[in-house]
Amino acid sequence: MNILQLCHKPPFPPSDGGTIAMNNVTQGLLQAGHRVKVLAIETPKHRVNQENITDEYKNAVQFESVYVDTSIAFLPALKTVFNRQSYQVSRFFSKNFAKKLVEVLQQQQFDIVQLESVFMAPYISIIRQNSDAKIVLRTHNIEHQIWQRVAKNEPVFPKKWAIKYFANQLERFECGLGNKVDAFAAISEPDFQFFSNYFKIPGTILHFGINIDDYAENEDYIPSDTPELFHVGSMNWKPNIEGIEFFLDEVWPLLLERFPQLTFTIAGRGIPHNIAERSDKNVEIVGEVPSANDFILSKDIMVVPLLSGSGVRVKIIEGMALGKTVITTSIGAEGLAVENGKNILIANTPEEFVDAIAKCVHTPDICAILGENARNFVALNHNNERITQELILFYNSLIHNANV
């Protein structure tokens, strides 16, 4: 097959959950012998540094990108109030990207055009006009659900109203895409069930896949009775910011009362000033780290206190693959077939977080057991080779049915 992968941000080098998810599909398809062309949008938050893109990657996927200014602006947002478009999505449309897309489609024939997220949907009509390829929407999240949850937790009314309004705009757009694409691939079973209620088209579940051999656990690791807590994730993503603020404001003071020796380290790109300038006791903020895997291996317990979000959290899967104990909320664990107390710990309130961490402090061996079970879970359920083969079968069925 010849596949065009349209990405809403550069997927290489893979540095956050979304880019890792995109790149792992790319690599899986290439390793299976298929051809993949990657055309990506550059944004102010996600620029392309040519020095970080290997020649091997450029040659393998004929990588190209176009800069699009997706910055939030008042007048364009106001216009969508009257034309009933989704402002979040419309920010990703660019005449320059459309021109490059037409050029690519006229130069090559593709069997499949894979849209990475709802944000690439503005280009569907251009694809239809210039290609006979099947268009597949890959949903990384239920995007509007993220913003509806953020709005629910927002205390300032004017801001709460605005977020909710634009979330509802996005919901109408997102749920109406079923009559514009040929198929969809959801990242989890819950997301698949949600979109199946709106999309009367073929669909599949495209789980986040990894090569477990790329996640070598520390075989000499010995759980500590004074474990080092940590969080790693993109801190320019609203749900991560919201979750860390909740943990520092409401959980951390309770923890220090019981365990004054505990430490908490926060890593990730784009840490905002209101978090970077905090001075919480025993909390270290290190920003972006050279290797997320090395950072994870150097600590004990991963804390992912998400209060909003959707899809699956890639960093949770990576932490589990590295044999770490992960403590997260029910929202953080959404989309993962995990079992509380077996391969992960679930906590939704400050008291539940304190109890979960206390369990690890009082019985360090629990961390070793949870970590081993977590790694086995990922190896079984998120094997990239198997997941890619399932996607290839799905794509072949779309092409075959089109030719019958």
Side-chain angles (χ1 to χ4, degrees):
M1 282 185 292
N2 199 13
I3 300 161
L4 175 60
Q5 191 176 11
L6 297 183
C7 304
H8 64 294
K9 55 185 174 180
F12 196 93
S15 57
D16 60 30
T19 57
I20 294 169
M22 289 187 282
N23 185 61
N24 285 1
V25 169
T26 307
Q27 300 304 325
L29 290 168
L30 290 172
Q31 289 167 12
H34 299 278
R35 297 184 300 277
V36 182
K37 160 78 177 177
V38 174
L39 178 58
I41 284 177
E42 285 186 60
T43 73
K45 286 168 56 175
H46 301 92
R47 299 302 301 264
V48 168
N49 184 340
Q50 294 293 339
E51 294 180 358
N52 292 335
I53 302 179
T54 64
D55 290 337
E56 180 183 11
Y57 179 82
K58 290 178 184 177
N59 295 332
V61 302
Q62 311 161 58
F63 176 74
E64 293 184 275
S65 65
V66 176
Y67 177 77
V68 178
D69 187 357
T70 58
S71 303
I72 294 174
F74 176 74
L75 286 179
L78 185 62
K79 288 180 181 179
T80 64
V81 173
F82 300 101
N83 61 25
R84 296 182 63 81
Q85 294 180 351
S86 167
Y87 177 58
Q88 288 100 321
V89 175
S90 66
R91 291 184 299 124
F92 285 80
F93 182 78
S94 155
K95 290 182 180 179
N96 287 336
F97 187 88
K99 181 179 178 181
K100 171 56 68 174
L101 176 58
V102 170
E103 178 184 312
V104 169
L105 292 172
Q106 291 180 349
Q107 288 176 349
Q108 297 185 54
Q109 285 191 333
F110 296 96
D111 302 296
I112 299 288
V113 176
Q114 181 172 306
L115 306 179
E116 294 287 354
S117 89
V118 63
F119 301 113
M120 301 310 295
Y123 301 99
I124 291 174
S125 61
I126 293 173
I127 299 168
R128 293 290 189 209
Q129 294 165 13
N130 294 276
S131 175
D132 294 326
K134 290 295 182 181
I135 302 176
V136 179
L137 173 65
R138 184 191 187 189
T139 60
H140 290 247
N141 308 286
I142 304 173
E143 295 292 344
H144 72 267
Q145 192 177 83
I146 296 174
W147 292 105
Q148 287 174 345
R149 287 170 170 173
V150 169
K152 183 178 179 180
N153 297 326
E154 173 58 51
V156 181
F157 178 75
K159 190 173 181 181
K160 182 186 189 77
W161 181 89
I163 295 172
K164 185 176 181 181
Y165 179 84
F166 288 115
N168 291 340
Q169 272 189 340
L170 181 56
E171 180 180 14
R172 288 192 296 271
F173 182 87
E174 192 169 21
C175 293
L177 284 175
N179 59 1
K180 296 181 180 180
V181 298
D182 298 300
F184 73 99
I187 203 164
S188 69
E189 175 68 30
D191 285 19
F192 176 81
Q193 293 301 328
F194 176 88
F195 285 112
S196 293
N197 291 330
Y198 294 93
F199 297 174
K200 306 308 176 185
I201 54 176
T204 189
I205 301 173
L206 179 54
H207 290 291
F208 173 77
I210 66 171
N211 179 359
I212 196 68
D213 293 336
D214 293 337
Y215 294 80
E217 60 182 335
N218 183 358
E219 296 181 356
D220 298 326
Y221 172 69
I222 299 175
S224 171
D225 56 1
T226 56
E228 296 181 88
L229 278 60
F230 71 95
H231 175 86
V232 58
S234 296
M235 293 303 294
N236 51 16
W237 190 53
K238 177 65 174 177
N240 278 343
I241 298 171
E242 178 187 65
I244 289 301
E245 289 177 333
F246 156 75
F247 188 80
L248 292 177
D249 290 340
E250 301 188 37
V251 181
W252 192 241
L254 298 179
L255 272 173
L256 288 184
E257 285 181 12
R258 292 183 61 177
F259 308 106
Q261 76 279 16
L262 285 180
T263 62
F264 181 43
T265 306
I266 301 170
R269 63 162 58 181
I271 293 179
H273 292 300
N274 63 313
I275 291 180
E277 295 174 358
R278 293 181 66 123
S279 56
D280 302 86
K281 184 180 178 181
N282 292 3
V283 174
E284 183 181 10
I285 299 172
V286 298
E288 190 169 4
V289 292
S291 168
N293 285 8
D294 289 345
F295 173 77
I296 292 170
L297 287 171
S298 72
K299 307 298 179 184
D300 296 288
I301 298 174
M302 174 183 277
V303 177
V304 190
L306 284 176
L307 306 178
S308 58
S310 180
V312 299
R313 303 281 59 84
V314 169
K315 278 292 179 283
I316 289 180
I317 296 174
E318 293 192 306
M320 295 175 73
L322 290 166
K324 292 299 176 181
T325 293
V326 177
I327 304 176
T328 189
T329 59
S330 297
I331 288 176
E334 271 185 351
L336 300 174
V338 289
E339 295 181 53
N340 184 23
K342 179 179 180 181
N343 44 38
I344 202 168
L345 294 176
I346 305 296
N348 293 306
T349 67
E351 294 75 19
E352 289 175 355
F353 269 101
V354 172
D355 289 344
I357 293 167
K359 184 183 298 184
C360 297
V361 173
H362 292 316
T363 315
D365 286 347
I366 287 178
C367 290
I369 296 169
L370 284 168
E372 182 179 358
N373 290 344
R375 182 173 172 83
N376 291 337
F377 168 84
V378 172
L380 179 64
N381 293 280
H382 294 274
N383 179 289
N384 198 51
E385 183 177 355
R386 176 181 58 79
I387 290 168
T388 302
Q389 288 302 320
E390 292 173 356
L391 179 65
I392 291 168
L393 289 173
F394 178 69
Y395 281 174
N396 279 328
S397 70
L398 287 178
I399 297 168
H400 174 74
N401 289 338
N403 295 329
V404 172

